[in-house]
Amino acid sequence: MGKKRIGLLTGGGDVPGLNSVIKSVVWNLAGEDFEVVGLRRGWAALLHLQPEIPGEQARWTMPLDRANTRTIDRTGGTILHSSRINPAIVPADRVPFHLKGKGVPSGEGRVDLTAEALRAIEHLGLETIIAVGGDGTLQFAVRLQEEGVPIVAIPKTMDNDVHGTDYCIGFSTAITRSVHFISDLRTAAGSSERILIVELFGRYSGETCLLTSYVASPDRAIIAEVPFDPERLCRMLLQDKTSNPSNYAVVAISEGAQMIGGQTFETGLPDDVGRRKLGGIGILLKEYIERSSGERTIYQQLGYLMRSGAPDSLDQIVATTFGTLAADLVRSGNFGQMVSILGGLYSFVPIGTVTAGRK
């Protein structure tokens, strides 16, 4: 009897710890009754794979075993690469050429190519898919589960906002790195006696800003969930600066923050799932402070620095354990689940929990 083929993918924005979870899954399954196949670039692999073209299989899939995953947990990122493609809502101008004219309209100039993804799964002979991702990636995992594909999900996102788990891979490292950079930036703020504005990734969740501030101790923290009064904040920061013997002040601000009566600051064209790039609220705050008070400011957007590099110890522990739990679910045939941490305990919840609410 042949080995069961398990597909493994990482989707959405990369975070430290993805390679650790890949290694954990492979080392827990490969060599038994399972063969693990990496799907490269997330769900995009299922849409771009053209088996009749030489070389395409290697471009979009990657056999995974203990030999080629032995050392990958020592670095950040993902050896499988990633994308934000959701086959159920592909922008019409991003539909692969060989799939033009296929699929069904899904509104707002998008096409539902779920049927084509299912055909690719069948062609690859995948009996199960382990999907590692945030809410966007896992929304399509829910769709595949509803279509009858056995799914096991692993939550990751530095925003820590996947519904159904208290913790997502990548969050701890994002906090660790943010604390480090704010501490370093104090030297510039103190030397030039300025107000320092540090803008943090997190989209509409202020948890990265809140926890970073709890540890890094800026004078003020502005989270995405609470609109702020720029006049009051400016007044507070001026007082903070005056009361500091080194004559500087620090404010950490979520990229999804907004002024009272204002809107979130978005730029650029929508991505593959319809989201525009957040970020720049710190610039607006900088301009307001300098215009209204004459105080010079330093603005630093941490951005991708928060999700770069190797995972810290906590993310490595969680990623390794999540991978082990996912492998256990596959081995026992308990599909349609997302591994999670609830109340401080490792657990799992029905994958539909991802779309049942907002964290």
Side-chain angles (χ1 to χ4, degrees):
M1 186 175 179
K3 293 184 177 182
K4 297 179 180 179
R5 302 195 87 198
I6 310 299
L8 174 62
L9 65 89
T10 53
D14 64 291
V15 297
L18 291 177
N19 281 334
S20 297
V21 78
I22 292 170
K23 176 178 177 177
S24 179
V25 168
V26 172
W27 280 59
N28 275 281
L29 288 179
E32 299 180 9
D33 298 324
F34 302 95
E35 173 189 2
V36 184
V37 178
L39 302 179
R40 305 182 69 179
R41 305 173 188 91
W43 296 121
L46 300 181
L47 300 183
H48 288 269
L49 181 65
Q50 299 181 71
E52 69 278 5
I53 298 179
E56 282 295 280
Q57 190 95 347
R59 184 182 176 196
W60 294 101
T61 65
M62 177 182 182
L64 297 172
D65 55 37
R66 290 194 168 196
N68 64 9
T69 60
R70 185 177 64 85
T71 62
I72 63 172
D73 56 329
R74 303 173 191 175
T75 58
T78 166
I79 62 167
L80 293 177
H81 309 293
S82 186
S83 75
R84 296 189 184 275
I85 289 290
N86 179 336
I89 50 170
V90 181
D93 60 352
R94 296 293 305 277
V95 173
F97 182 78
H98 68 284
L99 296 182
K100 294 289 185 181
K102 296 186 178 182
V104 295
S106 58
E108 299 182 355
R110 295 176 177 273
V111 181
D112 185 347
L113 295 172
T114 301
E116 303 305 319
L118 291 170
R119 274 190 273 275
I121 292 170
E122 182 179 6
H123 170 79
L124 290 170
L126 302 179
E127 300 188 41
T128 304
I129 292 180
I130 299 176
V132 187
D135 53 359
T137 299
L138 298 187
Q139 282 177 15
F140 188 66
V142 173
R143 172 68 181 275
L144 288 182
Q145 179 69 33
E146 293 170 346
E147 296 286 345
V149 179
I151 296 288
V152 171
I154 299 176
K156 69 88 212 159
T157 170
M158 54 161 285
D159 307 338
N160 202 36
D161 61 354
V162 173
H163 191 259
T165 181
D166 295 340
Y167 189 83
C168 303
I169 298 168
F171 180 65
S172 177
T173 308
I175 302 302
T176 298
R177 292 178 66 81
S178 297
V179 170
H180 170 78
F181 287 121
I182 288 178
S183 296
D184 284 353
L185 286 165
R186 286 179 181 275
T187 61
S191 297
S192 57
E193 299 178 285
R194 297 186 186 183
I195 293 173
L196 169 64
I197 302 167
V198 182
E199 185 176 322
L200 305 174
F201 263 175
R203 293 203 67 80
Y204 303 110
S205 170
E207 194 170 8
T208 50
C209 180
L210 186 64
L211 267 290
T212 294
S213 299
Y214 185 68
V215 180
S217 299
D219 298 288
R220 306 292 163 180
I222 307 299
I223 62 175
E225 292 83 350
V226 183
F228 68 96
D229 179 348
E231 180 181 356
R232 183 184 179 200
L233 177 60
C234 179
R235 189 166 61 248
M236 289 177 167
L237 289 170
L238 291 175
Q239 184 177 352
D240 295 333
K241 183 174 182 289
T242 302
S243 62
N244 185 338
S246 295
N247 198 32
Y248 74 94
V250 182
V251 55
I253 185 169
S254 298
E255 64 175 355
Q258 56 183 297
M259 298 179 185
I260 294 175
Q263 297 179 326
T264 52
F265 195 88
E266 299 180 336
T267 58
L269 297 174
D271 62 15
D272 291 324
V273 293
R275 302 191 309 185
R276 297 178 65 202
K277 181 178 177 59
L278 277 178
I281 185 63
I283 294 178
L284 294 183
L285 178 58
K286 169 187 170 68
E287 293 174 346
Y288 181 90
I289 293 173
E290 293 184 342
R291 183 174 61 250
S292 62
S293 70
E295 285 284 340
R296 298 287 301 280
T297 65
I298 297 173
Y299 164 68
Q300 183 64 59
Q301 186 180 43
L302 294 188
Y304 288 94
L305 290 170
M306 296 171 63
R307 70 186 337 150
S308 302
D312 66 9
S313 297
L314 178 57
D315 268 328
Q316 195 136 6
I317 291 169
V318 174
T320 300
T321 308
F322 273 2
T324 300
L325 288 174
D328 288 345
L329 290 171
V330 169
R331 193 180 293 109
S332 64
N334 191 0
F335 304 118
Q337 307 290 344
M338 178 180 76
V339 299
S340 63
I341 294 178
L342 296 173
L345 301 175
Y346 287 101
S347 184
F348 53 87
V349 296
I351 191 172
T353 308
V354 173
T355 58
R358 181 179 179 184
K359 181 180 177 185

